[in-house]
Amino acid sequence: MSTSTLNATTFEAVAQKYRPIFERIAEGAVDRELNGTLPHEQIQWLKDAGFTAARVPQEFGGDGLNWEEFTELLIELAAADSNIPQALRSHWAFVEENLYHHGLTRNGKTGDRTEWFKRFVAGEIAGNAWTEPGQGGVGTVLDERDGQLVLNGTKFYTTGTIFAEWIDVLAKRPDGSDVSAYVSTKTQGIETLDDWDGFGQKGTGSGTTIFTNAPVDAENVFDFEVRFPYQTALYQHILLIALSGAAQGAANEVAKQVRERKRVFGHGNADTVSQDPQILQVVGEVSAKAYVAAAATLRVGRALDRAFNSRLEGDAVEKAANVSVELESGLAQVVLSPLVTEATGQIFNTLGASSTSTAKSLDRFWRNARTVATHNPFIYKARIAGDWAVNGTEPPTVWTIGEAGIDDKRYGQAAAS
């Protein structure tokens, strides 16, 4: 199975289904930011329209978008509200996990994920429960009690879970092996809190989830080592999309504000701000940085498509594609993290002190970009890229927060941050 490239006409038809929803999402972005409102309603609009099944093949009722196509639309969504692609970050990875394994024969058994595709098309989405508070590591345990598998533990940064029907949980069996457990959010013994207190990306629903003897069906437990191998790159890709969207959102907003601004400085260069060449230069620089961010992110989308398609081309080809996409996502991260943070701060150079009004919430672009840039620290990605360039050292595709020295226990694993 593959998700094939749509022709331009077909892609435009798909895009036109969703762009009016993106516009509606953008209209309420400032109010949600100021009021601390989570985008429950906006995510429901996307579910109802089928956007959360955009990667599902057409024969199962989805749009069948490949990653390059989907990335283009996700950047548009992120420009409307960069919180929402990140809120759905784990869902996109969960869809990918099922796409990757569908139809693959492993250990003499062919994977069939048709039921999951049906759930996605029906609007069901997944959040995550991977990272743990404090020192980190994996302390959540999947154990058997009275003949029933149950989860016990506390997870932080459970992005998107508060909006979701399913949770993708990283846990340990009593023997120490890692597993992925899929559990319904309606399951007894699960509590999700809206306690994310970061200064940016406030609408991602990245709070705490607590599991207390939460039952898990055995058929929804999988060895972690069989997760799709380009997972870390995909998780990073969604953050690149959030960065690109923040940059484009800032570029759109600063152009609008300058176009409409009446107040001028006596030592400026024109009778109107919209004709001042120095102001226009700043707007152009922000637009250029948004362009570069989108271009780099789209290129990573193409690398993801190669990684997905390589699963049918043999181990050597697949490994090369996975190494490539990990490196490409890291290279883009190293450049875009400071670039977008700079661009979203530049907009204040065009509008004077009034640009700092909380009612305008123009600082949200910088705060969101700076928050996204703290994930998976890009200083490490720069070192990894340099080690590859100089020494040919393959990048790690598995690591966790709180445990040093466990990178790449075996090829094929990947971890989210």
Side-chain angles (χ1 to χ4, degrees), residues 137-301:
V138 183
T140 298
V141 175
L142 178 72
D143 203 353
E144 185 173 322
R145 295 188 180 181
D146 300 323
Q148 171 68 59
L149 291 174
V150 294
L151 281 167
N152 282 281
T154 298
K155 299 286 190 177
F156 195 46
Y157 302 124
T158 59
T159 303
T161 291
I162 203 166
F163 310 110
E165 286 75 28
W166 295 90
I167 316 174
D168 181 7
V169 186
L170 176 62
K172 281 189 181 295
R173 292 189 177 100
D175 65 6
S177 60
D178 293 335
V179 296
S180 295
Y182 308 158
V183 58
S184 168
T185 54
K186 296 182 177 63
T187 301
Q188 184 177 1
I190 298 176
E191 181 182 14
T192 297
L193 307 176
D194 179 22
D195 60 348
W196 163 240
D197 65 350
F199 63 64
Q201 293 296 90
K202 294 180 178 181
T204 58
S206 299
T208 300
T209 297
I210 303 166
F211 301 90
T212 306
N213 292 324
V216 181
D217 292 335
E219 65 182 13
N220 287 336
V221 177
F222 300 89
D223 290 337
F224 185 72
E225 65 182 33
V226 300
R227 296 281 294 201
F228 71 98
Y230 51 94
Q231 179 171 241
T232 300
L234 190 151
Y235 273 104
Q236 186 58 55
H237 184 60
I238 304 305
L239 297 179
L240 296 175
I241 286 166
L243 281 171
S244 298
Q248 189 58 58
N252 294 344
E253 187 63 27
V254 73
K256 176 179 180 291
Q257 294 280 341
V258 167
R259 187 183 309 119
E260 297 174 353
R261 185 169 170 79
K262 305 301 182 184
R263 187 179 176 89
V264 298
F265 288 97
H267 57 313
N269 304 291
D271 293 334
T272 63
V273 177
S274 62
Q275 295 300 318
D276 189 314
Q278 283 188 284
I279 301 299
L280 295 176
Q281 177 180 344
V282 175
V283 174
E285 288 174 355
V286 174
S287 297
K289 289 167 184 175
Y291 171 83
V292 169
T297 303
L298 284 165
R299 177 161 176 164
V300 177

Side-chain angles (χ1 to χ4, degrees), residues 6-88:
L6 306 180
N7 63 52
T9 301
T10 303
F11 172 74
E12 191 60 25
V14 171
Q16 286 305 322
K17 288 194 303 180
Y18 302 124
R19 285 174 176 153
I21 301 173
F22 299 166
E23 292 174 6
R24 291 170 63 198
I25 287 171
E27 289 169 1
V30 172
D31 286 342
R32 289 192 297 277
E33 184 74 25
L34 295 177
N35 297 325
T37 305
L38 290 178
H40 287 280
E41 183 179 17
Q42 290 69 31
I43 289 175
Q44 189 62 51
W45 295 344
L46 295 171
K47 290 181 179 183
D48 292 343
F51 188 70
T52 51
R55 277 277 291 154
V56 174
Q58 291 176 331
E59 60 263 37
F60 297 104
D63 294 311
L65 298 184
N66 67 22
W67 267 109
E68 185 176 3
E69 295 162 337
F70 193 32
T71 297
E72 183 174 336
L73 289 182
L74 283 171
I75 292 173
E76 292 183 32
L77 173 59
D81 186 341
S82 63
N83 288 277
I84 294 179
Q86 187 179 351
L88 295 170

Side-chain angles (χ1 to χ4, degrees), residues 1 53 56-62 94-104 110-124 166 182 220 222:
M1 180 193 64
V56 174
Q58 291 176 331
E59 60 263 37
F60 297 104
F94 192 66
V95 172
E96 196 74 11
E97 167 73 2
N98 285 280
L99 287 170
Y100 178 89
H101 287 288
H102 184 73
L104 279 187
T110 301
D112 184 352
R113 303 299 175 93
T114 304
E115 290 304 312
W116 283 107
F117 296 157
K118 290 178 181 178
R119 292 181 179 121
F120 301 147
V121 170
E124 296 183 19
W166 295 90
Y182 308 158
N220 287 336
F222 300 89

Side-chain angles (χ1 to χ4, degrees), residues 48 128 135 183 226 268 303 314 347 352 371 399 410 416-417:
D48 292 343
N128 88 87
Q135 188 172 345
V183 58
V226 300
I347 65 176
T371 298
W399 44 272
R410 58 186 67 82
S417 69

